[in-house]
Amino acid sequence: MSLNQLLESEAPCHHAHAAQASPPLLELDPAVFHREFNRKPFLVGHHLADHPSFTLPRLVELARRHPEKYVSYNAGDASVAEGLYKAPKTGLSVEETIRRIEECKSWMVIKRVEQDDEYRPLLDQCLDQIQPLSEPLYPGMRSREAFIFISSPNSVTPYHMDPEHNILLQIRGRKTIHIWDRADRSVLSERELEEFFASGESINLTYKDEYHGKASVFEMTRGLGLHFPVTSPHWVQNGDEVSISFSITFQTPWSDRRAALYTANYGLRKLGINPAPVGNYPMRDSAKFFGFRVLRKARAVGQRVVTRK
């Protein structure tokens, strides 16, 4: 579906702030959003493709002033199954990587750009549009965060998943996104989810060739965005030009609770107990969630006591 086709089918959206002076940055279909949000991936439109903050010179300036710990980059000619952040380094600096992105075969993510005064308003404008639609479904939007991806032609983002509610906005270039249903246990197991959350989201998922035919495939071009349901496995193939994408994310009490339940199940499995999958028994889930919160608070208190000593 082209952006024009997408926009022609959309109804007017409601804004969190009626007095907002800037025009809307996103084009959202409320009916599609209500039906598919955090259930299935779906396309949106956006008006950030020509925004000056996403030119390469401005991104070089961002990289210069942004904390180094929030910038990750490596070779872009990774395999699908290699694991996120596992590809070798290129030997270039952050600034050199961005300046030479057309030919240096690299993949880069600048994390937590909401901390930057130039990019935080863009994130807030986008999420202020989304919040009136997301609140009836998953109330309590919090932890607003944004990420910028800068990739060389034909580079690969390996198979992985993310813990946040996420919409990826394609600013420049083209990319093909392969995404799987998080509820398909032939692709994503309960144990992988448990390990993902218990390890602080640092594990790499195992990709198998047999998964290929089960993916939904989206062709992304400038001006289009894609919603990723929480923990939906995916990998990305860039087209034959430089790609720049802006990822807008947030958490909710639902995502927090789900992470806690999988972490609790991981702990039970380590004790030799085979826990019921999250969602199978709501009463058990409530008990596990309560126990997890009590244990976490007790540990926090213990740590404060040790620190004072």
Side-chain angles (χ1 to χ4, degrees):
M1 180 185 293
S2 70
L3 177 58
N4 288 337
Q5 290 171 324
L6 182 69
L7 301 187
E8 287 172 0
S9 68
E10 291 174 327
C13 61
H14 300 283
H15 307 292
H17 303 298
Q20 181 174 300
S22 301
L25 294 180
L26 303 180
E27 299 291 343
L28 302 165
D29 183 330
V32 171
F33 194 101
H34 181 80
R35 184 175 66 247
E36 309 291 3
F37 181 72
N38 202 35
R39 296 180 179 92
K40 296 180 180 179
F42 61 87
L43 294 172
V44 304
H46 71 86
H47 300 287
L48 283 167
D50 295 315
H51 198 285
S53 291
F54 295 102
T55 61
L56 288 178
R58 293 282 274 275
L59 293 175
V60 168
E61 293 175 15
L62 170 63
R64 283 175 178 164
R65 66 180 181 261
H66 206 57
E68 185 177 347
K69 65 180 179 180
Y70 291 133
V71 182
S72 296
Y73 59 107
N74 49 241
D77 52 355
S79 70
V80 175
E82 189 158 0
L84 200 60
Y85 310 128
K86 297 297 184 181
K89 301 294 184 183
T90 61
L92 300 175
S93 67
V94 173
E95 184 174 334
E96 287 174 323
T97 297
I98 298 175
R99 290 189 184 281
R100 298 174 53 187
I101 197 66
E102 290 191 21
E103 74 273 354
C104 70
K105 297 182 179 179
S106 295
W107 174 92
M108 174 182 288
V109 55
I110 307 177
K111 308 173 187 177
R112 302 298 308 276
V113 298
E114 79 284 350
Q115 298 182 4
D116 190 273
D117 290 341
E118 180 175 353
Y119 296 88
R120 182 173 57 255
L122 298 179
L123 172 66
D124 283 337
Q125 278 185 256
C126 290
L127 292 186
D128 284 351
Q129 281 188 255
I130 289 172
Q131 190 165 9
L133 300 176
S134 65
E135 282 296 303
L137 304 170
Y138 295 89
M141 178 185 285
R142 64 167 203 82
S143 298
R144 295 180 172 204
E145 295 180 359
F147 305 78
I148 296 175
F149 296 90
I150 310 166
S151 308
S152 295
N154 303 309
S155 61
V156 168
T157 305
Y159 182 69
H160 69 288
M161 63 182 174
D162 303 308
E164 313 96 344
H165 301 278
N166 178 21
I167 295 180
L168 182 75
L169 307 177
Q170 188 67 17
I171 306 296
R172 171 178 171 178
R174 307 173 64 92
K175 60 177 50 171
T176 302
I177 297 177
H178 305 255
I179 185 168
W180 282 261
D181 181 358
R182 67 166 181 236
D184 186 346
R185 290 294 170 261
S186 70
V187 174
L188 179 63
S189 70
E190 289 290 317
R191 289 199 179 197
E192 284 180 305
L193 284 161
E194 292 165 11
E195 291 171 0
F196 177 73
F197 286 111
S199 66
E201 303 133 23
S202 63
I203 71 153
N204 289 294
L205 302 181
T206 300
Y207 179 79
K208 299 178 182 178
D209 290 339
E210 64 199 58
Y211 296 168
H212 181 75
K214 299 180 179 182
S216 297
V217 180
F218 292 86
E219 299 294 337
M220 302 297 296
T221 58
R222 67 192 305 270
L224 280 180
L226 181 67
H227 164 60
F228 294 71
V230 176
T231 64
S232 294
H234 57 279
W235 72 275
V236 181
Q237 172 69 66
N238 273 13
D240 56 4
E241 55 187 304
V242 170
S243 172
I244 298 173
S245 306
F246 185 48
S247 182
I248 57 174
T249 78
F250 62 95
Q251 300 278 11
T252 60
W254 177 88
S255 62
D256 291 343
R257 184 177 189 273
R258 186 167 177 266
L261 288 172
Y262 276 113
T263 303
N265 274 3
Y266 176 84
L268 291 172
R269 201 179 294 279
K270 295 289 282 185
L271 294 173
I273 301 169
N274 187 26
V278 171
N280 278 20
Y281 300 99
M283 294 291 288
R284 292 187 193 178
D285 284 349
S286 295
K288 282 188 283 191
F289 182 59
F290 176 77
F292 177 85
R293 292 178 64 187
V294 169
L295 181 61
R296 184 170 57 181
K297 288 180 180 178
R299 286 178 174 171
V301 170
Q303 289 173 351
R304 287 197 295 270
V305 170
V306 170
T307 301
R308 288 179 187 139
K309 291 180 178 179

